[in-house]
C-alpha cells in the first residue's frame, strides 16, 4: 500500500509542534524566585550582555564565541564582584574597553550571579553513564 | 524572460565576497589581539562574517529554487513577485551588515542583528513561500526535491519566528529555557537550509543523468531518507545541550534521534561508487566536481557529527573549536560546494561543455580550495580536541595558557584560511563576471 508523503509530513509536523509547545510552556524554577524579589535585575543584565555583543567572544554553557573564556560560572570562580567588574572594563588581550555605566556593571554582575546558580558548565563536574549520557555529579549543587 | 534566480545569485556572490573578507580579518584577531581592536574589532567582524555567510547560503539556495522552477514552467506570478522578494531581502541584507558598524547588535548566537530587521527578512520568506507554491502546486505528485524545497522554506519561517521568542519577557527571563530555544533554533535552521540545498543537489543529479532508471525524484528509498532528515531537523538539535541543566528526556530525544543518522552515513558509503560513476558518465566539468567534493565532505562531517552527538564524546568537544570545524566543514564543504555546482550548472552550463582549456586556473583552483579546506578543518579540529582534553584535566590550564599553547594551530588556521579566501574569491569573481556580463538565458 502506498502511503502518501503528505500524511507522514503532517504526522511529523504535529509531533514537532506539540514538542515545541511543551518546551515553550514549561515553567522554570528560577523565574518564580526572581519575580518574587523585585530587586533582581539580572534579566536586564542579560540584555546588556546582548547589547555589547559579549557573546561574540564569550560562551554561556558553551554557546557563544571562542576568543574568551566561558562565563557561566565566572561569578563563583572569583567570588569577588570587584574583580569581575575590573575584568568587564576590558582593554586586555582581544577584549575592547567598554565604558559601562555602574548600573550596567551591577546588572551584568547579577546576570552572572544568577547564571552561576543554574548549574555548572565545567565539564569536570559531570559523570559519564553506561548509556553514553552525561549528568552533573550529585555533590555539586 | 530572464531566470528570476539570477539576481539572487548575484547578490549571493557579493555576500560570499564580504563573508570571506570579514572572515579573514576576524581570524587575524587570533594571532594579533590588538588588530583593529577598539575601532571595529572582533565583535563587529564576527557578526558581519556570520550574517554574510547566512546570506550567501540562503540567497544562493533561493537562486537555485527559482532557477529550477524557471526550468519547469514557472508561473508569471512567481516571476513577477520574485522582484518584491528580492528587494526586501536585499535591503535587509545590506541594512543588517551596515548596522553592525554602528555597533547595533543582536548579541545572540549565531545569526543576529537588531530584531527590527527580522520583519523584512520574515516577510521576504513568506513571499518566497507564496511564490514557490504558486508555481510548484501546478505540478501533481511532487518529486522528492519539491517536498524538500517546500519543507526548507516552511521550516525556515517557523524557526525564524521561534528565534525571536526571546522578545517575550517570560521566555527571556527563563535563562535556561531561552538557551534551550537558542540551541533549538541554531540546530534546526541548519536542517532547513540543508533541505533547500540537498533538494537542489538531487534536482541537479536528476538533470545530469539521462538514465530514467537512475533518477531519484520518485524513489521510495529517497523519500524515506527525506523523512529521516526531516525528523532529524525537528528532534536532533538537543544533542547540543547535554551540559545544560534542562530536562533529561529532551537530551535523550536528541541523542536517540541523532543516532538514526548512522543509516544515512552507511548509505553514503554503499552508494558512493554508484553516485560517482553516474556523475562521470554525464560529466559537466565543475558541477560534477563540486558535487563529488560535497559527497566527500558529507562523509567526513557526518562521521564527526555522529561521534559528537554521543554525550560522552560531546563532553570533550562541546564549546571547543571542534564545533567550529564542524560548522565550517559543513557550510563550506557541503553547502558551498553544492551551491557552487548549482550556480555553475544554472548560469554557466553551456560554456562549461566547450573547451575549458583557457580556464586551467579554475581547475587548479578546485584542488587549492579542497586542500585549504582540509587544513583549515584539521587545524580547528586539533585545537578543539586539545582544548577538550586540557579542560577535562584535574589541573586544567588557565584559559589564557590554553590559548597560548594553541598558537601554532591558529597559525595553520590562518594560513589555510588565506587559502580559502583566495580560492573561494576566485570562483566568486569568475561567477560574478559570468553573471554580470554574459547572457545566461538558457535552460538546462
Amino acid at each position: 500500500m502506498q502511503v502518501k508523503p503528505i500524511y507522514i509530513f503532517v504526522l511529523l509536523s504535529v509531533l514537532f509542534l506539540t514538542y515545541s509547545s511543551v518546551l515553550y510552556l514549561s515553567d522554570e524554577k528560577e523565574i518564580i524566585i526572581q519575580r518574587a524579589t523585585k530587586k533582581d535585575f539580572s534579566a536586564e543584565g542579560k540584555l546588556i550582555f546582548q547589547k555589547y555583543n559579549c557573546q561574540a567572544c564569550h560562551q554561556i554553557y558553551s554557546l557563544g564565541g571562542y576568543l574568551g573564556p566561558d562565563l557561566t560560572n565566572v561569578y563563583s570562580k572569583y567570588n569577588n564582584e570587584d574583580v569581575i567588574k575590573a575584568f568587564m572594563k576590558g582593554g586586555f588581550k582581544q577584549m575592547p574597553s567598554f565604558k559601562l555605566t555602574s548600573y550596567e556593571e551591577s546588572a551584568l554582575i547579577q546576570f552572572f550571579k544568577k547564571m552561576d546558580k543554574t548549574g555548572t558548565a565545567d565539564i569536570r563536574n559531570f559523570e559519564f553513564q553506561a548509556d553514553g549520557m552525561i549528568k552533573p555529579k550529585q555533590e555539586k549543587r | 524572460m530572464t531566470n528570476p534566480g539570477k539576481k539572487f545569485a548575484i547578490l549571493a556572490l557579493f555576500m560570499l565576497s564580504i563573508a570571506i573578507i570579514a572572515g579573514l580579518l576576524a581570524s587575524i584577531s587570533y594571532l594579533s589581539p590588538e588588530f583593529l581592536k577598539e575601532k571595529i574589532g572582533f565583535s563587529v567582524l564576527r557578526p558581519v562574517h556570520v550574517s554574510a555567510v547566512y546570506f550567501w547560503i540562503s540567497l544562493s539556495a533561493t537562486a537555485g529554487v527559482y532557477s529550477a522552477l524557471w526550468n519547469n514552467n514557472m508561473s508569471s506570478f512567481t516571476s513577477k513577485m520574485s522582484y518584491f522578494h528580492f528587494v526586501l531581502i536585499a535591503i535587509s541584507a545590506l541594512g543588517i551588515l551596515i548596522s553592525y558598524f554602528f555597533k547595533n547588535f543582536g548579541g545572540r548566537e549565531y545569526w543576529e542583528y537588531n530584531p527590527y530587521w527580522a520583519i523584512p527578512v520574515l516577510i521576504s520568506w513568506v513571499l518566497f513561500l507564496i511564490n514557490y507554491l504558486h508555481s510548484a502546486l501546478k505540478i501533481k505528485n511532487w518529486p522528492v526535491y519539491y517536498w524538500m524545497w517546500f519543507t526548507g522554506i516552511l521550516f525556515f519561517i517557523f524557526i525564524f519566528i521561534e528565534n525571536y521568542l526571546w522578545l517575550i519577557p517570560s521566555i527571556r527571563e527563563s535563562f535556561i529555557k531561552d538557551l534551550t530555544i537558542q540551541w533549538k533554533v541554531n540546530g534546526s535552521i541548519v536542517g532547513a537550509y540543508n533541505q533547500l540545498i540537498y533538494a537542489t543537489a538531487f534536482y541537479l543529479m536528476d538533470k545530469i543523468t539521462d538514465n530514467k532508471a537512475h533518477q531519484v525524484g520518485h524513489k521510495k528509498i529517497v523519500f524515506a531518507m527525506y523523512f529521516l532528515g526531516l525528523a532529524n531537523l525537528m528532534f536532533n538539535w538537543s544533542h547540543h545541550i547535554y551540559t545544560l541543566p534542562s530536562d533529561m528526556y529532551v537530551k535523550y530525544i536528541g541523542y536517540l534521534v541523532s543516532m538514526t543518522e548512522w543509516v544515512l552515513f552507511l548509505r553514503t558509503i554503499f552508494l558512493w561508487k554508484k553516485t560517482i560513476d553516474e556523475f562521470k558518465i554525464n560529466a559537466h566539468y565543475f558541477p560534477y566536481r563540486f558535487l563529488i567534493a560535497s559527497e566527500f565532505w558529507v562523509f567526513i562531517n557526518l562521521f564527526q557529527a555522529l561521534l559528537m552527538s554521543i554525550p560522552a564524546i560531546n563532553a570533550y568537544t562541546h564549546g571547543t573549536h571542534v564545533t567550529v570545524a564542524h560548522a565550517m566543514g559543513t557550510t563550506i564543504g557541503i553547502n558551498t560546494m553544492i551551491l557552487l555546482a548549482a550556480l555553475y550548472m544554472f548560469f554557466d552550463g553551456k560554456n562549461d561543455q566547450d573547451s575549458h582549456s583557457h580556464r586551467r586556473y579554475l581547475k587548479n583552483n578546485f584542488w587549492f580550495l579542497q586542500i585549504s579546506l582540509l587544513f583549515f578543518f584539521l587545524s580547528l579540529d586539533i585545537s578543539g580536541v586539545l582544548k577538550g582534553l586540557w579542560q577535562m584535566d584535574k589541573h586544567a590550564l588557565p584559559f589564557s595558557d590554553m590559548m597560548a599553547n594553541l598558537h601554532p594551530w591558529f597559525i595553520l588556521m590562518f594560513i589555510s584560511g588565506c587559502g580559502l579566501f583566495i580560492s573561494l574569491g576566485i570562483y566568486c569573481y569568475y561567477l560574478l563576471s559570468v553573471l554580470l556580463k554574459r547572457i545566461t538565458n538558457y535552460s538546462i
Side-chain angles (χ1 to χ4, degrees), chain B residues 54-79:
Chain B
Y54 266 92
F55 279 117
W56 147 245
I57 301 283
S58 62
L59 287 165
S60 51
T62 307
V65 177
Y66 275 124
S67 302
L69 290 178
W70 186 68
N71 275 291
N72 287 359
N73 290 334
M74 173 185 272
S75 72
S76 65
F77 172 87
T78 304
S79 167

Side-chain angles (χ1 to χ4, degrees), chain B residues 190-443:
Chain B
V190 176
Y193 281 134
N194 285 344
Q195 292 281 338
L196 286 176
I197 295 168
Y198 288 138
T200 303
F202 281 144
Y203 176 81
L204 291 180
M205 288 180 198
D206 271 11
K207 283 282 166 187
I208 287 178
T209 175
D210 302 325
N211 187 341
K212 280 259 175 303
H214 288 165
Q215 296 197 337
V216 296
H218 290 285
K219 283 212 173 112
K220 261 194 189 147
I221 180 78
V222 181
F223 266 98
M225 293 298 142
Y226 153 65
F227 283 119
L228 191 61
L230 180 58
N232 270 281
L233 178 167
M234 292 169 165
F235 303 109
N236 83 4
W237 52 269
S238 51
H239 56 211
H240 295 287
I241 59 164
Y242 295 136
T243 57
L244 207 60
S246 44
D247 290 330
M248 285 314 281
Y249 83 91
V250 178
K251 300 181 189 180
Y252 273 106
I253 289 178
Y255 183 15
L256 289 176
V257 174
S258 302
M259 291 302 114
T260 61
E261 292 217 38
W262 283 106
V263 178
L264 289 178
F265 181 67
L266 294 177
R267 203 179 126 81
T268 59
I269 298 180
F270 287 129
L271 291 188
W272 175 253
K273 183 142 169 28
K274 207 175 145 219
T275 334
I276 290 194
D277 291 346
E278 184 60 44
F279 283 164
K280 226 183 225 155
I281 302 165
N282 305 286
H284 289 232
Y285 193 84
F286 280 111
Y288 160 71
R289 272 162 186 75
F290 283 127
L291 286 178
I292 293 292
S294 79
E295 293 262 329
F296 168 79
W297 288 106
V298 165
F299 178 78
I300 302 278
N301 281 293
L302 195 54
F303 185 61
Q304 173 166 325
L306 280 162
L307 294 182
M308 283 162 72
S309 303
I310 299 170
I313 296 178
N314 182 277
Y316 286 87
T317 62
H318 195 47
T320 72
H321 279 91
V322 174
T323 318
V324 187
H326 174 67
M328 300 294 131
T330 48
T331 35
I332 306 173
I334 307 174
N335 297 349
T336 298
M337 294 305 155
I338 295 178
L339 291 166
L340 286 174
L343 295 188
Y344 257 106
M345 187 83 179
F346 286 124
F347 300 105
D348 196 34
K350 278 220 170 117
N351 300 307
D352 202 48
Q353 275 143 14
D354 34 81
S355 100
H356 10 73
S357 53
H358 67 291
R359 284 189 257 142
R360 169 144 297 139
Y361 77 100
L362 286 176
K363 292 187 197 168
N364 295 338
N365 192 39
F366 175 81
W367 289 107
F368 185 36
L369 170 59
Q370 305 305 329
I371 290 167
S372 305
L373 180 56
L374 188 65
F375 279 104
F376 192 62
F377 185 78
L378 285 177
S379 67
L380 291 166
D381 248 352
I382 294 172
S383 36
V385 169
L386 288 175
K387 183 169 177 243
L389 293 171
W390 293 336
Q391 66 190 12
M392 195 65 97
D393 197 273
K394 233 190 226 138
H395 312 284
L397 290 173
F399 183 82
S400 51
D401 290 357
M402 292 191 202
M403 293 299 268
N405 291 352
L406 290 176
H407 199 76
W409 300 107
F410 292 152
I411 294 177
L412 181 61
M413 173 193 84
F414 179 73
I415 295 172
S416 48
C418 291
L420 284 175
F421 172 80
I422 296 168
S423 50
L424 285 172
I426 287 174
Y427 283 126
C428 219
Y429 177 78
Y430 173 75
L431 284 167
L432 264 179
S433 57
V434 168
L435 276 158
L436 291 173
K437 276 187 223 138
R438 288 193 204 149
I439 304 160
T440 47
N441 257 357
Y442 58 85
S443 42

Side-chain angles (χ1 to χ4, degrees), chain A residues 2-28:
Chain A
Q2 184 97 7
V3 186
K4 280 198 176 159
I6 184 87
Y7 297 139
I8 308 179
F9 182 86
V10 170
L11 176 72
L12 279 173
S13 301
V14 169
L15 283 174
F16 175 67
L17 287 177
T18 318
Y19 182 43
S20 301
S21 327
V22 170
L23 294 173
Y24 306 151
L25 299 174
S26 66
D27 232 345
E28 206 166 290

